[in-house]
């Protein structure tokens, strides 16, 4: 099924019906009639998208859908490919299946997701895999891979799963983290790991740390070598060769007090 | 004008127990006959007086505090979309104001008593009440930790204290007097509590919790308030607290009193590991003392929100659970603590609590003295009352639930031995007729001529659904508020308030004292009548 | 995060012996705060008045409020979160990196001293202003203050309170909470209330240009918003209700002059500690009240054909 954006919404368009679970059993005409919300008005999918193709688990969306929100909400299966940009809450509450975006996404990518795979070739916004306001947990499973940069509070309140960044992230990556892994290949701005109680943040670039993180040792943990193998299957690498350097391990956040760790790669001085 | 015909009427206050008869309504009241108007065919339905909730937390500073603390609960809540005739809202554990009216009415309840209001924010409570549609309301103001009153009791000036209490009631435009953890909430302002009834309260040498209880109960009786002192006993929630509760019953010797959420005060044992239900013992003492009424404060398994003026207890709960904690101390008057809580079947403590509530309802023999509440939202949300009714009416339902409890719990409770099943008439008493009588609302809780036309019609045989799950019709003040699940716009409900007698000169005593210890102008303290939507004043003679 | 431990201002007056003002300048922005509530009054349990209290001012620069302080702690701009997080650790006697701590502008000794003073207090209060809530970290800075105050209750009585400014922002928070469940940033476009700061809060909507009309009441975003937000307001139909012609009025399509609430219009205001106070107008105004204008607008809108499909109720998304 291919949906091509033909009309830019003047205000954000909420399109949670664009999800394999909803679309898979439907014929194109039924899909065209599905509701989308433009502000307070309920309209049809075909008011904004050309719909072509056959029913099934694969959905392709073409165009600059930066203002289209909630695509893939709560999906449990199937594949979404977005050739262009996507709006907020892409893959929020996702349980399974996969989403791939060639362009950029907005805030709340994979918010509170529990399974599945999201891959973004461009940049993401803030609150990647994060908890919505007041929730006890953010993402509890699944994998989010972003080649570009992201904004604030990446992985906030994360309990399980993996977020891997290519570019830099802004403040509060891993805020209130309880578990899971965040890999920051492009480093971060301030307050990484703030108030974390458990979990692992790996940074390949030096990052400023809160006073409540204390240096414990430099090494390359065994589990990281296993992770590195897994990361290679996902398409990126992290250094693990002791000839090349090691990871400075910081524990924190002492304000909780937490048992999280931040591993910062330090290349061996040549 | 309305005639309800062919329904089986349950009106226990008028000794009508399942009789097929017409109920005629005109100008908002039950009348002997009507000619013309609409006729509602109630064949196959039971007809009951509208529900009266004697103890709930629905409007004001404490509840609004809880709302702000837990935005995540609203994402899971029932949504009410706005229409030209209906306001938007959210249900869940702490429903918004408009949703509160719709949820109660949709269940068949038409009168609700907000059980705990600080006088300093009474204005806020009335503003929220203004935004609760359909229902009639009343509110109780907190007095048992009011420092002006306590200072007077310390000085032995009970007469003057009575005038102050009366003045405060009128200033707040409230319906009655509430006491919460007497002496304990004021002690909490110094980080302490009041665990023993006969020891002086923190900061005082003569005032004891026992003294506060008996003085306030006496004052309320002397003021001839329609509802007695409404009391949340000391040591709420603490294993072994049944001793405190029984001691409190003795202190109230001869005085009227309404005991709030009695389940939370019915525990034996001496710690969380040994806690057991002492509902049977408490019921025995309670049955013998006919000057008292009580509401159950039962818990149901699932999510809840503890909201209470019992600040020290909430701090304990916060340390036990590690969940969010809200606390606000209100100058000179009271305080409030909030901790979200989840009752779990596999928890021994929660199992004991669940059983204790049901045991009280089954073992207190006079349904006119024990009323159905969950201390919403502390024990369970009010919109789950139908589940509780189901448990009271069906012993097999109780046995099903018992089979899911941790086996160790069965040794701490007597519920498995209780076979009593509530009849529909008894349910009508504990959900309507009884609370109305205890509140002193003469036109509520019954369907006799002259009663307010608050009538609920349920299908007699609803199949799988609990009997009280979805009424066919809910009539409020003679207008059809709910018809087959559809909420209709009706007139706004009223607020019941009292005007007790007090010497106007008491203001000369209060004013300078007030300016010394409060931080607002004395002239801004009392709530003006215009602020209330449709007040009905009960003048106390 | 933790929650909120607070009190009404009379509790501060009667009991507080340790006051911290953080990121605020009460001497200029809340000019009666010291004299009415926190420093000079003789409290029921602080009969010595000023002498019975210690006031600590924490800010990035020395403002006139510092003159009233017993201790002024100057921190580096944008470091509030670091300081508060470090204090939380020190309260729990946890290890802290001394060098990183010094990067806040305060030494470890100064931070430890503050913690010791807070623990020794009989009743401590932390008032926090826009220097906390509006600087880098924003809501997390506020959360840090709230959590620190809550955690200090393991040792002594400690509360916190936001120094609310500008008219009746607390009142708006209260009313929105009871009627919608949420304090601000509420979206009703799907028929029922939804809340997501960062998505539906005013500055975010305006800067992204996510709305196509605006009704402004009792605020002046044309003066306070980032430039892209102001430009957006000028592009879309904007309606302003205000007693004065404001910056926003100048870029609006419609400006309706209304009576000034509290001066010529009655109502209720909620103080920063959420105590409600009646407003009794002292003067009459030739202009209608905000309420009258909104009611008239609603009546006019009600006469237009209905646009919400009745079946909207089934489309909850949260």
């Amino acid at each position: 099924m291919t949906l091509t954006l033909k009309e830019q919404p003047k205000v954000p368009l909420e399109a949670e019906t664009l999800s394999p679970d909803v679309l898979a059993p439907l014929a194109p005409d039924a899909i065209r009639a599905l509701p989308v919300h433009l502000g307070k008005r309920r309209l049809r999918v075909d008011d904004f998208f050309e719909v072509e193709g056959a029913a099934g688990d694969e959905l392709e969306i073409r165009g600059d859908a930066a203002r289209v929100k909630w695509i893939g909400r709560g999906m449990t299966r199937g594949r979404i490919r977005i050739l262009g940009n996507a709006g907020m809450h892409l893959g929020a509450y996702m349980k399974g299946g996969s989403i791939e975006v060639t362009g950029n996404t907005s805030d709340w990518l994979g918010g509170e997701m529990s399974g599945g795979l999201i891959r973004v070739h461009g940049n993401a916004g803030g609150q990647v895999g994060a908890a919505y306001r007041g929730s006890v947990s953010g993402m509890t499973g699944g994998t989010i891979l972003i080649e570009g940069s992201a904004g604030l509070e990446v992985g906030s309140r994360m309990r399980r799963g993996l977020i891997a960044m290519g570019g830099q992230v802004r403040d509060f990556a891993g805020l209130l983290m309880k578990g899971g892994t965040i890999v920051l290949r492009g480093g971060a701005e301030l307050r990484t790991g703030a108030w974390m109680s458990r979990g692992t943040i790996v940074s390949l670039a030096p990052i400023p740390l809160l006073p409540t993180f204390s240096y414990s040792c430099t090494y390359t943990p065994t589990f990281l070598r296993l992770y590195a193998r897994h990361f290679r299957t996902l398409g990126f690498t992290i250094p693990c060769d002791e000839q090349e350097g090691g990871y400075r391990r910081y524990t924190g956040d002492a304000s909780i007090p937490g048992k999280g760790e931040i591993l910062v790669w330090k290349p061996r001085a040549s | 004008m309305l005639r309800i015909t062919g329904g089986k009427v349950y009106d226990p206050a008028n000794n009508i127990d399942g009789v097929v008869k017409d109920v005629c309504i005109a100008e908002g009241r039950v009348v002997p006959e009507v000619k013309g108007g609409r006729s509602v065919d109630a064949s196959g339905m039971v007809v009951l007086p509208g529900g009266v909730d004697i103890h709930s937390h629905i409007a004001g500073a404490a509840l609004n505090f809880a709302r702000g603390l837990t935005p995540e609960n609203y994402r899971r809540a029932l949504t009410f979309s706005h229409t030209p005739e209906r306001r938007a809202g959210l249900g869940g554990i702490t429903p918004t104001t408009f949703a509160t009216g719709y949820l109660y009415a949709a269940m068949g309840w038409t009168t609700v008593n907000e059980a705990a209001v600080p006088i300093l924010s009474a204005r806020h409570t009335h503003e929220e009440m203004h935004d609760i549609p359909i229902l009639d309301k009343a509110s109780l103001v907190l007095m048992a930790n009011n420092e002006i009153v306590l200072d007077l009791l310390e000085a032995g000036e009970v007469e003057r204290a009575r005038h102050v209490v009366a003045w405060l009631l009128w200033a707040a435009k409230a319906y009655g007097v509430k006491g919460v953890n007497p002496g304990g909430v004021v002690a909490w302002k110094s980080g302490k509590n009041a665990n023993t009834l006969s020891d002086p309260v923190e900061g005082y040498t003569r005032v004891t919790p026992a003294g506060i209880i008996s003085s306030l109960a006496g004052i309320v009786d002397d003021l001839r308030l329609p509802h007695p002192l409404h009391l949340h006993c000391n040591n709420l929630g603490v294993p072994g607290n049944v001793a405190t509760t029984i001691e409190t019953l003795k202190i109230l010797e001869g005085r009227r009193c309404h005991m709030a959420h009695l389940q939370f005060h019915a525990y034996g044992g001496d710690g969380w590991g040994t806690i057991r239900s002492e509902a049977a013992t408490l019921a025995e003492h309670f049955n013998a003392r006919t000057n008292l009424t009580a509401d159950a404060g039962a818990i149901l398994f699932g999510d809840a929100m503890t909201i209470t003026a019992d600040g020290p207890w909430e701090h304990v709960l916060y340390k036990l659970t590690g969940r969010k904690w809200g606390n606000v101390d209100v100058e000179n008057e009271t305080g409030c603590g909030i901790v979200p809580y989840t009752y779990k079947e596999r928890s021994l403590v929660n199992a004991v609590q669940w059983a204790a509530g049901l045991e009280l309802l089954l073992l207190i023999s006079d349904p006119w003295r024990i009323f159905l509440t969950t201390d919403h939202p502390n024990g369970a949300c009010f919109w789950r009352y139908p589940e509780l009714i189901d448990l009271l009416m069906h012993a097999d339902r109780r046995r099903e639930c018992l089979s899911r409890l941790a086996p160790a719990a069965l040794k701490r409770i007597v519920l498995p031995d209780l076979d009593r099943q509530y009849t529909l008439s008894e349910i009508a008493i504990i959900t309507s007729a009884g609370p109305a009588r205890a509140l002193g609302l003469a036109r509520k809780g019954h369907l006799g001529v002259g009663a307010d036309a608050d009538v609920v019609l349920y299908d007699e045989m609803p199949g799988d659904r609990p009997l009280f799950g979805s009424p066919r019709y809910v009539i409020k003040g003679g207008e059809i508020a709910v018809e087959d699940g559809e909420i209709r716009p009706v007139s706004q409900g009223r607020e019941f308030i009292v005007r007790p007698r007090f010497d106007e000169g008491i203001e000369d005593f209060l004013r300078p004292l007030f300016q010394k210890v409060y931080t607002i102008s004395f002239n801004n303290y009392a709530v003006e009548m215009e602020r209330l939507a449709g007040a009905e004043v009960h003048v106390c003679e | 995060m933790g929650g909120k431990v607070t009190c009404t201002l009379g509790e501060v007056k009667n009991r507080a012996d340790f006051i911290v003002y953080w990121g605020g300048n009460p001497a200029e922005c809340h000019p009666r705060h010291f004299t009415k509530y926190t420093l000079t009054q003789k409290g029921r349990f602080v009969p010595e008045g000023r002498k019975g209290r210690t006031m600590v001012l924490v800010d990035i620069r020395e403002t006139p409020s510092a003159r009233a302080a017993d201790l002024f702690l100057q921190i580096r701009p944008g470091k509030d979160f670091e300081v508060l997080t470090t204090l939380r650790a020190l309260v729990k006697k946890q290890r802290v990196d001394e060098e990183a701590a010094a990067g806040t502008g305060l030494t470890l000794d100064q931070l430890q001293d503050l913690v010791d003073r807070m623990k020794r207090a009989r009743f401590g209060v932390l008032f926090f202003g826009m220097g906390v809530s509006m600087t880098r970290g924003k809501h997390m800075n506020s959360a840090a203050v709230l959590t620190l105050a809550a955690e200090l209750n393991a040792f002594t009585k400690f509360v916190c309170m936001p120094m609310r400014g500008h008219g009746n922002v607390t009142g708006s928070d209260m009313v929105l909470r009871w009627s919608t469940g949420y304090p601000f940033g509420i979206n009703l476009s799907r028929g029922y209330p939804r809340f997501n700061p960062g998505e539906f809060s005013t500055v975010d909507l305006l800067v992204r240009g996510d709305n196509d009309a605006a009704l402004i009441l009792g605020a002046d975003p044309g003066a306070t918003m980032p430039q892209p937000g102001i430009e957006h307001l000028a592009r879309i139909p904007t309606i302003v209700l205000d007693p004065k012609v404001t910056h926003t009025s100048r870029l609006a399509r419609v400006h309706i002059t209304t009576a000034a609430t509290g001066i010529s219009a009655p109502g209720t205001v909620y103080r920063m500690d959420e105590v409600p106070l009646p407003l009794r107008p002292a003067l009459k105004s030739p202009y209608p009240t905000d309420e009258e204008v909104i009611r008239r607008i609603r009546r006019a809108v009600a006469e237009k054909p209905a646009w919400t499909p009745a079946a909207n109720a089934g489309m909850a998304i949260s």
Side-chain angles (χ1 to χ4, degrees):
Chain A
M1 191 62 49
T2 303
L3 268 53
T4 307
L5 191 65
K6 64 182 187 187
E7 171 99 17
Q8 268 298 331
K10 286 203 174 60
V11 297
L13 189 71
E14 295 187 339
E16 70 273 15
T17 46
L18 299 184
S19 160
D21 292 68
V22 176
L23 300 178
L26 297 179
D29 271 341
I31 292 174
R32 288 188 186 98
L34 281 174
V36 291
H37 288 84
L38 183 76
K40 68 190 185 192
R41 292 181 207 281
R42 194 188 323 166
L43 298 166
R44 293 162 48 109
V45 164
D46 65 358
D47 286 322
F48 291 92
F49 294 92
E50 298 289 358
V51 178
E52 280 150 352
D57 266 0
E58 311 257 321
L59 169 64
E60 188 174 276
I61 297 175
R62 296 173 180 206
D64 182 5
R67 293 191 114 197
V68 181
K69 298 181 175 179
W70 296 104
I71 296 170
R73 182 188 191 277
M75 64 190 265
T76 67
R77 59 194 246 216
R79 232 166 62 99
I80 300 180
R81 281 199 81 223
I82 300 174
L83 306 179
N85 302 319
M88 289 190 188
H89 310 291
L90 174 67
Y93 303 113
M94 186 176 175
K95 297 181 175 64
S98 74
I99 299 176
E100 186 177 358
V101 183
T102 61
N104 304 322
T105 65
S106 186
D107 300 340
W108 303 102
L109 177 72
E112 297 189 14
M113 75 190 276
S114 56
L117 169 67
I118 302 178
R119 194 188 283 275
V120 176
H121 294 283
N123 304 321
Q127 291 85 28
V128 172
Y132 288 102
R133 188 63 70 95
S135 284
V136 161
S137 293
M139 88 192 257
T140 55
T143 303
I144 303 177
L145 308 167
I146 298 165
E147 280 173 30
S149 63
L152 299 168
E153 299 176 4
V154 167
S156 156
R157 294 193 187 259
M158 183 177 188
R159 191 138 61 90
R160 226 182 341 265
L162 167 68
I163 299 175
M165 298 292 316
Q168 198 187 46
V169 301
R170 292 175 58 199
D171 297 352
F172 292 118
L175 171 68
L176 287 154
M177 203 172 167
K178 290 195 281 256
T181 310
I182 300 177
V183 180
L184 304 171
R185 283 147 61 219
E189 292 185 29
L190 301 181
R191 301 159 180 172
T192 302
W195 303 3
M196 75 190 295
S197 50
R198 285 204 129 92
T200 302
I201 300 175
V202 179
S203 179
L204 303 190
I207 52 173
L209 292 176
L210 289 166
T212 43
F213 280 83
S214 301
Y215 172 73
S216 66
C217 61
T218 301
Y219 77 137
T220 298
T222 312
F223 78 82
L224 211 52
R225 274 186 257 268
L226 288 166
Y227 275 35
R229 264 191 256 159
H230 177 59
F231 296 161
R232 249 175 272 137
T233 70
L234 295 170
F236 67 96
T237 58
I238 60 166
C240 308
D241 186 346
E242 275 159 346
Q243 308 286 63
E244 295 174 17
Y247 287 89
R248 288 176 65 83
R249 183 175 187 265
Y250 296 86
T251 58
D253 183 322
S255 66
I256 300 302
K259 295 189 172 89
E261 62 182 358
I262 302 182
L263 300 165
V264 184
W265 173 249
K266 184 157 168 62
R268 189 180 287 276
S270 48
Chain B
M1 281 188 299
L2 197 54
R3 174 191 291 268
I4 303 165
T5 144
K8 213 184 258 186
V9 177
Y10 288 84
D11 184 7
N14 295 306
N15 296 308
I16 296 166
D17 185 9
V19 174
V20 176
K21 67 194 283 287
D22 286 2
V23 176
C24 300
I25 293 166
E27 279 164 40
R29 303 275 186 104
V30 176
V31 293
E33 252 306 322
V34 279
K35 282 194 175 52
R38 181 173 169 182
S39 190
V40 171
D41 179 7
S43 23
M45 301 182 205
V46 296
V47 181
L48 274 71
V52 176
D53 195 342
I54 198 171
H55 186 113
S56 189
H57 299 280
I58 52 162
L63 187 70
N64 221 24
F65 192 178
R67 289 180 179 123
L69 213 59
T70 51
E72 67 279 11
N73 285 344
Y74 285 124
R75 286 194 286 276
R76 297 192 302 256
L78 190 62
T79 62
F80 289 85
S81 289
H82 69 88
T83 68
E85 300 176 326
R86 201 182 67 208
R87 303 290 299 267
L90 295 167
I93 302 175
T94 53
T96 59
T97 47
F98 300 108
T100 299
Y102 301 143
L103 283 166
Y104 262 112
M107 201 172 59
W109 263 247
T110 49
T111 304
V112 182
N113 184 36
E114 160 58 62
V117 179
I119 302 153
L120 192 58
S121 60
R123 187 180 298 277
H124 173 177
T125 291
H126 291 300
E127 296 203 327
E128 289 206 27
M129 297 262 203
H130 187 276
D131 281 354
I132 297 177
I134 305 171
L135 310 174
D136 284 343
K137 308 137 197 124
S139 67
L140 307 176
V141 281
L142 296 150
M143 292 284 192
N145 290 278
N146 183 302
E147 288 166 56
I148 292 178
V149 172
L150 261 51
D151 287 352
L152 287 170
L153 295 180
E154 174 86 355
E157 296 200 59
V158 186
E159 165 96 13
R160 185 170 265 175
R162 191 181 89 232
H163 287 281
V164 167
V165 168
W167 187 93
L168 289 172
L169 268 170
W170 180 241
K173 299 297 179 293
Y175 189 72
V177 174
K178 174 74 178 296
V180 172
N181 190 11
V185 182
V186 68
W188 177 236
K189 295 176 175 181
S190 314
K192 305 214 173 72
N193 200 351
N195 299 110
T196 54
L197 299 185
S198 45
D199 287 335
V201 170
E202 180 71 22
Y204 294 89
T205 56
R206 308 223 319 255
V207 175
T208 62
I212 299 170
I213 293 164
S214 62
S215 301
L216 277 180
I219 285 171
V220 168
D221 275 355
D222 290 344
L223 289 175
R224 302 211 205 300
L225 301 186
H227 183 55
L229 172 67
H230 194 116
L231 182 62
H232 158 148
C233 296
N234 299 73
N235 289 325
L236 174 138
V238 178
N241 63 7
V242 71
T244 308
T245 314
I246 291 170
E247 204 186 325
T248 305
L249 300 192
K250 295 189 177 134
I251 290 160
L252 288 161
E253 196 66 65
R255 294 255 177 238
R256 301 181 303 156
C257 186
H258 177 88
M259 319 284 291
H261 40 66
L262 203 54
Q263 175 275 130
F264 286 108
H265 304 275
Y267 307 144
D270 53 23
W272 296 115
T274 55
I275 190 174
R276 61 175 189 276
S277 165
E278 284 291 343
T281 314
L282 183 52
E284 208 182 300
H285 283 265
F286 185 88
N287 282 334
R289 294 184 145 78
T290 54
N291 51 316
L292 305 173
T293 54
D295 63 88
I299 72 114
L300 291 169
F301 298 110
D303 292 326
M305 176 84 63
T306 63
I307 303 178
T308 162
D310 199 333
W313 166 246
E314 294 288 7
H315 187 232
V316 166
L317 205 53
Y318 158 63
K319 285 190 293 189
L320 275 174
T321 62
R323 294 185 70 168
K324 296 192 221 206
W325 175 42
N327 183 85
V328 55
D329 295 327
V330 179
E331 63 213 60
N332 306 301
E333 294 186 12
T334 183
C336 161
I338 293 162
V339 176
Y341 191 75
T342 305
Y343 295 96
K344 301 195 173 112
E345 281 174 341
R346 300 309 281 181
S347 155
L348 183 62
V349 175
N350 296 159
V352 166
Q353 292 176 305
W354 176 81
L358 290 165
E359 287 170 10
L360 284 171
L361 283 158
L362 294 168
L363 290 171
I364 290 174
S365 42
D366 185 359
W368 285 95
R369 294 176 52 212
I370 179 73
F371 312 133
L372 187 146
T373 64
T374 57
D375 191 17
H376 163 84
N378 286 274
C381 301
F382 67 78
W383 36 266
R384 296 180 68 187
Y385 288 168
E387 284 176 52
L388 198 46
I389 293 170
D390 204 32
L391 289 168
L392 291 171
M393 293 181 82
H394 302 111
D396 55 356
R397 205 80 85 226
R398 300 197 292 265
R399 276 190 276 277
E400 259 173 66
C401 293
L402 282 163
S403 67
R404 290 198 295 270
L405 302 182
L410 298 176
K411 301 195 198 80
R412 313 288 183 92
I413 60 181
V414 300
L415 189 61
D417 303 328
L418 303 180
D419 292 320
R420 178 180 170 199
Q421 297 188 136
Y422 264 68
T423 65
L424 191 46
S425 189
E426 290 173 326
I427 294 292
I429 297 170
I430 66 169
T431 60
S432 179
R437 184 176 290 179
L439 281 168
L441 294 169
R443 297 203 317 269
K444 298 292 187 193
H446 71 102
L447 298 174
V449 170
D452 285 345
D454 300 341
V455 193
V456 191
L457 279 59
Y458 302 95
D459 278 324
E460 189 166 8
M461 301 289 180
D464 289 331
R465 291 173 290 114
L467 175 59
F468 282 67
S470 24
R472 296 291 306 279
Y473 292 88
V474 179
I475 295 148
K476 167 69 180 55
E479 298 172 306
I480 297 180
V482 181
E483 181 169 351
D484 282 324
E486 276 297 308
I487 293 169
R488 298 270 150 76
V490 296
S491 308
Q492 186 159 39
R494 291 158 295 165
E495 276 198 62
F496 297 109
I497 64 177
V498 294
R499 202 200 200 292
R501 290 174 113 220
F502 56 86
D503 177 3
E504 301 287 337
I506 197 67
E507 280 197 18
D508 298 329
F509 165 75
L510 277 172
R511 185 185 296 267
L513 183 56
F514 186 93
Q515 294 301 169
K516 224 164 66 107
V517 294
Y518 274 87
T519 48
I520 69 170
S521 166
F522 185 71
N523 292 337
N524 288 334
Y525 193 45
V527 179
E528 307 85 12
M529 277 297 281
E530 303 80 66
R531 293 284 179 152
L532 274 61
E536 192 170 302
V537 184
H538 173 113
V539 178
C540 308
E541 291 303 341
Chain C
M1 283 150 284
K4 182 172 169 189
V5 180
T6 189
C7 63
T8 62
L9 283 166
E11 283 296 292
V12 177
K13 169 173 122 172
N14 284 323
R15 296 176 195 273
D17 63 336
F18 190 79
I19 321 278
V20 182
Y21 284 101
W22 199 307
N25 180 13
E28 295 191 313
C29 301
H30 294 84
R32 309 257 274 129
H33 217 250
F34 296 153
T35 50
K36 274 196 82 170
Y37 309 117
T38 62
L39 294 186
T40 60
Q41 292 269 342
K42 291 197 196 329
R44 196 183 143 112
F45 299 98
V46 194
E48 332 82 79
R50 183 67 184 90
K51 290 201 208 73
R53 299 181 177 106
T54 302
M55 194 273 262
V56 177
L57 184 75
V58 183
D59 209 337
I60 59 172
R61 71 178 73 86
E62 202 169 325
T63 62
S65 297
R67 283 199 283 274
D70 296 300
L71 175 64
F72 170 58
L73 295 172
Q74 186 161 7
I75 63 175
R76 299 222 175 98
K79 292 294 182 189
D80 299 81
F81 186 83
E82 281 72 13
V83 176
L84 290 160
T85 299
T86 305
L87 292 174
R88 283 185 66 194
L90 293 174
V91 163
K92 302 184 184 85
K93 295 194 158 71
Q94 295 292 313
R95 188 158 56 118
V96 157
D97 185 283
E98 187 156 354
E99 202 185 311
T104 62
L106 299 178
T107 64
L108 196 53
D109 281 343
Q110 283 177 296
L111 293 163
Q112 184 63 56
D113 175 60
L114 181 57
V115 166
D116 295 338
R117 286 172 186 258
M118 290 194 292
K119 284 183 172 180
R120 275 200 308 266
R122 215 173 49 223
F123 187 121
V125 192
L126 225 170
F127 290 104
F128 60 104
M130 295 208 285
V132 166
S133 57
M134 300 300 285
T135 57
R136 187 167 185 170
K138 297 253 169 75
H139 71 101
M140 286 311 302
N141 294 343
S142 306
V145 171
L146 265 74
T147 312
L148 175 63
E151 289 175 342
L152 281 163
N153 280 275
F155 303 93
T156 186
K157 189 89 182 156
F158 220 99
V159 298
C160 68
M161 204 183 301
M163 295 289 276
R164 287 294 181 66
H166 284 302
N168 199 8
V169 62
T170 305
S172 139
D173 179 331
M174 303 298 279
V175 175
L176 290 175
R177 248 191 280 154
W178 82 55
S179 54
T180 72
Y182 304 117
F184 65 89
I186 299 145
N187 185 332
L188 286 161
S189 60
R190 299 282 287 251
Y192 63 92
R194 291 187 292 150
F195 170 68
N196 198 21
E199 181 178 9
F200 301 138
S201 26
T202 303
V203 60
D204 304 290
L205 286 171
L206 292 180
V207 166
R208 288 199 183 98
D210 280 354
N211 60 317
D212 57 348
L215 173 67
I216 312 291
L217 194 158
D220 194 8
T224 60
M225 288 289 138
Q227 195 56 33
I230 295 174
E231 282 161 18
H232 183 65
L233 275 173
R235 270 196 301 267
I236 58 174
T238 295
I239 303 145
V240 173
L241 269 63
D242 207 289
K244 296 192 168 61
V245 171
T246 61
H247 286 98
T248 318
S249 309
R250 295 203 173 86
L251 42 80
R253 297 283 166 86
V254 178
H255 165 97
I256 301 175
T257 301
T258 52
T261 310
I263 298 174
S264 344
T268 308
V269 66
Y270 283 79
R271 205 168 62 177
M272 66 170 60
D273 57 352
E274 302 190 353
V275 170
L277 295 165
L279 292 172
R280 299 192 190 87
L283 303 172
K284 281 204 186 346
S285 167
Y287 300 110
T289 63
D290 291 313
E291 186 181 341
E292 281 163 7
V293 173
I294 296 291
R295 282 191 193 282
R296 286 170 62 184
I297 293 173
R298 281 194 68 216
R299 275 201 295 271
V301 168
E303 276 161 31
K304 298 206 163 255
W307 47 263
T308 34
N312 245 359
M315 308 255 7
I317 183 180
S318 282

